[in-house]
């Protein structure tokens, strides 16, 4: 039994030794797929000599040298580790011409405002040409070419699909009042691109599909043809707004209300149809030298030193309520900076403007008797609400959506602002010029719209409801029955999104519309983008 075991051990050791020898002599070695692909494509036996053992150290050294330049170095390293550091992309996409397609897309990125060299276009084109010539004297000359082409393919594909599909920057890193959680490429998305079975499909997938983008891209080409230089304010503006259009909203809705801050307008879209277009008033621009003044305020703590900043934030949400005859919960900042002073100046200001005062959440019955000299602005213990009615600053309609900034769209009792050229005059919320039309588009049905109309003392469209309307008016007019106006909530139709955007240039019927950079955001954006342009 012992002799038999010893004999088996000797056979095993002999087999191991033979395997080692044969391996060292390259016997029984499998030809790598890249060798078969290139050998067959070029009808050149030289590629059959492709030795993975020689190639891998060359590729690994180049990967280590270049990995920091990738958008996601860990992802790239993991991709190649999983694929045993073999040239997977070149193997899959060189012979079928898809690497040439990638090269063409990189060159065409100039039409989208990019400098193709941020994707290493020229070097990539040379590497493809070098392999296309098929003029290698020895197999050793092939290894570096394949390694460079493989890594450049991964680099260009990763960066191009990210930049075209999601934008070259994350706007939340550059703008304090950009509150949209734009979609950004994560590791899973980038890994799926590298593992794709169709490189062309991935390149086509990331192209911005919107009509507005296509029109502005066409306008960029036209301006370049007429000017002959990219170094003009108009072309820079077009490039910046193409980038803004590449930022992807967190969700798609059936209908979208777009407020464009620099244009002071609102447009309601339903797919390719425009349901409404109207003027709006947006938040006022922050004070000059805002940063310096804010530093001074943080040191002193005095409200008199606090600079004003009422800029309307950029955000996205979905409407969830219509409030008719709204109550205005006056923000603390407005209470301290405006209401406080008006109440000190005029003891009847609060009652005349239907403003109720609360102390520790309890209603103050006679606010006109408050001695405001006892209460410093910095530690004002009161909160304020303006009741429903004609004098309410929110007018008769408030359109509500979830957001962290307490921003909403609303009517106003001051219609004069809509006649101004510069309508950046509000405290941050968006005043709309035609609130009744807006409400009509938002309600679920005609019956709901008639109820809404009657709540604001307008006759119903359905004349069979006139008797109900007259009763409502009589109740309000009856002095023996004190009628107190209260807000009414209505549920809007589902899937109506609201996008408060910032576009300083766009194309309309072949002509580019430029608008003043009301909040001075363009210089910040250009500073972030210019290295890619």
């Amino acid at each position: 039994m012992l002799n038999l075991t010893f004999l088996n051990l000797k056979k095993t050791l002999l087999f191991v030794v033979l395997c080692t020898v044969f391996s060292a002599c390259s016997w029984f070695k499998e030809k790598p797929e890249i060798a078969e692909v290139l050998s067959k494509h070029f009808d050149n036996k030289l590629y059959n000599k492709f030795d993975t053992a020689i190639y891998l150290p060359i590729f690994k050294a180049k990967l280590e040298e270049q990995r920091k330049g990738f958008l996601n170095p860990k992802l790239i390293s993991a991709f190649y580790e999983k694929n045993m550091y073999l040239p997977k992309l070149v193997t899959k996409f060189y012979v079928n011409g898809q690497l040439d397609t990638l090269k063409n897309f990189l060159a065409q990125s100039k039409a989208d405002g990019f400098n193709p060299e941020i994707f290493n276009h020229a070097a990539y084109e040379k590497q493809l040409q070098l392999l296309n010539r098929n003029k290698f004297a020895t197999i050793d000359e092939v290894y570096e070419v394949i390694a460079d082409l493989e890594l450049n393919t991964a680099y260009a594909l990763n960066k191009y699909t990210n930049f075209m599909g999601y934008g070259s920057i994350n706007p939340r890193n550059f703008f304090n009042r950009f509150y949209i959680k734009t979609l950004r490429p994560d590791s899973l998305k980038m890994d799926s691109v590298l593992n794709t079975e169709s490189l062309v499909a991935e390149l086509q997938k990331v192209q911005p599909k919107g009509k507005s983008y296509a029109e502005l891209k066409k306008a960029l080409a036209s301006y370049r043809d007429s000017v002959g230089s990219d170094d003009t304010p108009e072309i820079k503006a077009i490039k910046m707004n193409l980038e803004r259009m590449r930022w992807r909203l967190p969700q798609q809705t059936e209908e979208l209300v777009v407020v464009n801050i620099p244009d002071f307008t609102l447009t309601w879209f339903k797919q390719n149809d425009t349901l409404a277009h109207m003027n709006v008033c947006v938040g006022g621009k922050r004070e000059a030298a805002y940063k310096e003044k804010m530093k001074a305020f943080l040191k002193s703590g005095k409200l008199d030193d606090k600079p004003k900043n009422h800029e309307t934030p950029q955000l996205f949400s979905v409407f969830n309520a219509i409030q008719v005859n709204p109550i205005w919960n006056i923000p603390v900042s407005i209470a301290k900076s405006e209401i406080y002073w008006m109440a000190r100046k005029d003891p009847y200001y609060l009652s005349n403007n239907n403003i109720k005062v609360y102390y520790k959440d309890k209603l103050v019955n006679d606010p006109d008797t408050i001695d405001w000299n006892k209460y410093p602005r910095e530690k004002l213990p009161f909160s304020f609400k303006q009741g429903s009615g004609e004098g309410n600053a929110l007018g008769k309609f408030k359109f509500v959506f979830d957001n962290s900034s307490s921003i909403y769209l609303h009517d106003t009792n001051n219609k004069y602002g809509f006649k101004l050229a510069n309508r950046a005059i509000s405290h941050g919320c968006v005043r709309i010029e035609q609130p009744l039309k807006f409400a009509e588009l938002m309600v679920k049905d005609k019956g709901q719209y008639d109820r809404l109309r009657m709540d604001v003392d307008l006759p119903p469209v359905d004349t069979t409801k006139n008797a109900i309307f007259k009763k409502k008016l009589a109740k309000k007019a009856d002095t023996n029955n004190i009628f107190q106006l209260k807000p009414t909530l209505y549920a809007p139709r589902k899937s109506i999104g609201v996008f408060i955007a910032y576009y300083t240039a766009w194309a309309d019927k072949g002509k580019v519309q430029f608008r003043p950079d009301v909040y001075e955001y363009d210089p910040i954006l250009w500073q972030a983008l210019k290295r890619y342009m």
Side-chain angles (χ1 to χ4, degrees):
M1 184 71 176
L2 185 62
N3 289 338
L4 184 61
T5 303
F6 181 72
L7 182 62
N8 287 338
L9 181 61
K10 284 178 67 177
K11 289 180 179 179
T12 301
L13 288 171
L14 180 61
F15 178 76
V16 171
V17 171
L18 288 172
C19 285
T20 304
V21 171
F22 291 157
S23 177
C25 296
S26 299
W27 292 4
F28 307 131
K29 181 177 66 177
E30 280 193 26
K31 190 168 27 174
E33 189 178 358
I34 187 67
E36 295 182 358
V37 166
L38 295 180
S39 178
K40 182 179 179 181
H41 177 68
F42 288 112
D43 192 19
N44 187 338
K45 295 180 180 179
L46 172 68
Y47 298 102
N48 285 327
K49 299 178 182 179
F50 196 104
D51 190 338
T52 304
I54 298 174
Y55 170 78
L56 291 184
I58 295 172
F59 179 82
K60 288 181 180 179
K62 286 182 175 290
L63 174 60
E64 184 60 30
E65 178 186 342
Q66 299 176 27
R67 68 185 299 276
K68 290 183 180 178
F70 283 90
L71 294 181
N72 193 327
K74 290 183 179 179
L75 174 82
I76 298 298
S77 295
F79 171 75
Y80 283 111
E81 183 180 0
K82 181 181 178 182
N83 289 285
M84 302 175 67
Y85 299 99
L86 293 172
K88 182 178 180 181
L89 298 175
V90 174
T91 302
K92 286 173 70 175
F93 301 122
Y94 173 69
V95 170
N96 60 21
Q98 293 194 54
L99 295 192
D100 284 309
T101 302
L102 173 59
K103 177 199 70 176
N104 294 335
F105 270 86
L106 300 184
Q108 292 161 10
S109 67
K110 184 177 181 182
D112 297 274
F114 291 116
N115 177 358
E117 288 313 302
I118 65 172
F119 308 116
N120 290 347
H121 170 257
Y124 189 63
E125 187 173 35
K126 287 181 181 178
Q127 289 157 8
L128 275 172
Q129 289 173 352
L130 195 58
L131 184 56
N132 289 341
R133 283 200 293 266
N134 184 32
K135 298 293 183 180
F136 303 107
T138 67
I139 193 63
D140 290 334
E141 296 175 16
V142 177
Y143 298 131
E144 279 209 18
V145 173
I146 297 297
D148 285 335
L149 185 58
E150 176 69 22
L151 284 171
N152 229 343
T153 299
Y155 174 87
L157 179 61
N158 180 229
K159 196 168 188 176
Y160 179 86
T161 53
N162 281 3
F163 280 25
M164 284 299 300
Y166 301 90
S168 58
I169 68 164
N170 184 346
R172 300 183 77 189
N173 295 336
F174 296 90
F175 300 101
N176 292 331
R177 295 207 170 193
F178 191 99
Y179 298 146
I180 305 169
K181 293 181 179 179
T182 54
L183 296 179
R184 299 296 301 165
D186 56 22
S187 296
L188 189 63
K189 288 186 178 74
M190 287 189 273
D191 189 60
S192 69
V193 171
L194 293 171
N195 284 287
T196 184
E197 293 303 315
S198 174
L199 190 150
V200 174
E202 295 297 333
L203 295 171
Q204 292 174 340
K205 189 191 303 182
V206 297
Q207 302 304 312
K209 304 297 191 299
K211 181 182 177 183
S212 297
Y213 187 91
E215 289 179 346
L216 192 57
K217 181 176 173 178
K218 186 177 179 181
L220 175 59
S222 177
Y223 266 78
R224 278 174 168 158
D225 289 342
S226 61
V227 176
S229 168
D230 275 21
D231 193 24
T232 67
E234 292 80 9
I235 287 182
K236 286 180 180 178
I238 292 173
K239 287 182 178 181
M240 284 187 283
N241 286 281
L242 283 170
E243 170 70 9
R244 287 181 170 119
M245 291 178 184
R246 286 189 285 264
W247 299 337
R248 292 171 62 176
L249 296 178
Q251 73 178 88
Q252 297 295 316
T253 55
E254 293 177 11
E255 299 174 41
L256 186 63
V257 174
V258 179
V259 174
N260 185 10
I261 294 171
D263 192 39
F264 310 122
T265 59
L266 170 157
T267 308
W268 190 316
F269 295 100
K270 185 175 183 180
Q271 297 179 349
N272 293 327
D273 294 329
T274 299
L275 302 186
H277 182 77
M278 64 188 72
N279 291 335
V280 300
C281 298
V282 298
K285 178 186 173 183
R286 67 176 61 186
E287 277 188 33
Y290 178 83
K291 289 184 178 179
E292 292 74 15
K293 290 180 180 179
M294 181 57 74
K295 288 178 182 177
F297 164 69
L298 293 173
K299 284 183 180 180
S300 71
K302 296 179 180 178
L303 284 176
D304 289 335
D305 293 336
K306 187 176 182 180
K308 292 180 181 179
N309 181 6
H310 297 309
E311 291 175 356
T312 299
Q314 296 172 71
L315 53 82
F316 172 85
S317 189
V318 177
F319 287 104
N320 55 35
I322 308 166
Q323 194 176 83
V324 180
N325 297 314
I327 288 175
W328 183 30
N329 295 301
I330 301 175
V332 174
S333 59
I334 297 176
K336 290 180 178 180
S337 63
E338 298 182 24
I339 304 298
Y340 174 80
W341 291 116
M342 296 302 292
R344 287 190 61 166
K345 184 178 178 181
D346 178 4
Y348 303 109
Y349 170 79
L350 297 172
S351 56
N352 288 341
N353 287 277
N354 195 20
I355 296 175
K356 293 179 172 60
V357 183
Y358 296 81
Y359 178 78
K360 294 183 178 180
D361 296 328
K362 291 184 178 180
L363 180 66
V364 177
N365 291 321
D366 193 1
D368 297 341
T369 62
I370 296 173
D371 184 359
W372 296 101
N373 294 313
K374 291 182 179 180
Y375 305 101
R377 274 201 307 153
E378 288 79 2
K379 298 180 180 179
L380 197 63
F382 302 104
S383 59
F384 304 84
K385 293 183 180 182
Q386 187 176 39
S388 304
E390 290 295 328
N392 190 286
L394 304 185
K396 296 181 179 180
F397 300 96
K398 176 181 173 182
F399 304 96
V400 185
F401 46 89
D402 290 335
N403 67 93
S404 60
S405 305
S406 299
I407 296 295
Y408 40 83
L409 275 59
H410 66 88
D411 182 17
T412 177
N413 61 355
N414 179 12
K415 307 294 185 181
Y416 176 75
F418 296 112
K419 298 179 180 179
L420 300 174
N422 183 339
R423 296 190 287 278
I425 57 174
S426 82
H427 287 97
C429 288
V430 179
R431 306 173 189 172
I432 61 176
E433 188 177 28
Q434 302 173 46
L436 185 64
K437 180 178 181 180
F438 198 87
E440 183 180 8
L441 288 170
M442 190 165 284
V443 295
K444 294 179 178 180
D445 52 47
K446 293 179 180 178
Q448 191 184 47
Y449 178 56
D450 272 343
R451 292 194 297 275
L452 179 148
R453 285 177 61 90
M454 289 188 283
D455 281 342
V456 294
D457 299 341
L458 291 174
V461 176
D462 182 357
T463 55
T464 63
K465 297 176 182 176
N466 280 342
I468 299 173
F469 176 58
K470 289 178 181 178
K471 284 183 181 180
K472 283 180 174 286
L473 291 180
K475 185 178 180 181
K476 291 180 182 181
D478 186 358
T479 56
N480 295 320
N481 178 22
I482 299 174
F483 181 85
Q484 186 176 4
L485 197 61
K486 294 180 180 179
T488 306
L489 284 175
Y490 289 90
R493 292 184 294 107
K494 292 182 178 180
S495 197
I496 303 174
V498 55
F499 174 32
I500 300 182
Y502 196 93
Y503 296 115
T504 53
W506 67 95
D508 182 21
K509 297 178 182 177
K511 182 179 179 182
V512 181
Q513 300 288 332
F514 296 100
R515 293 294 181 270
D517 180 17
V518 61
Y519 291 164
E520 297 181 354
Y521 287 170
D522 277 1
I524 300 170
L525 181 57
W526 183 251
Q527 189 63 30
L529 293 180
K530 64 181 182 180
R531 56 181 170 159
Y532 304 128
M533 302 287 133

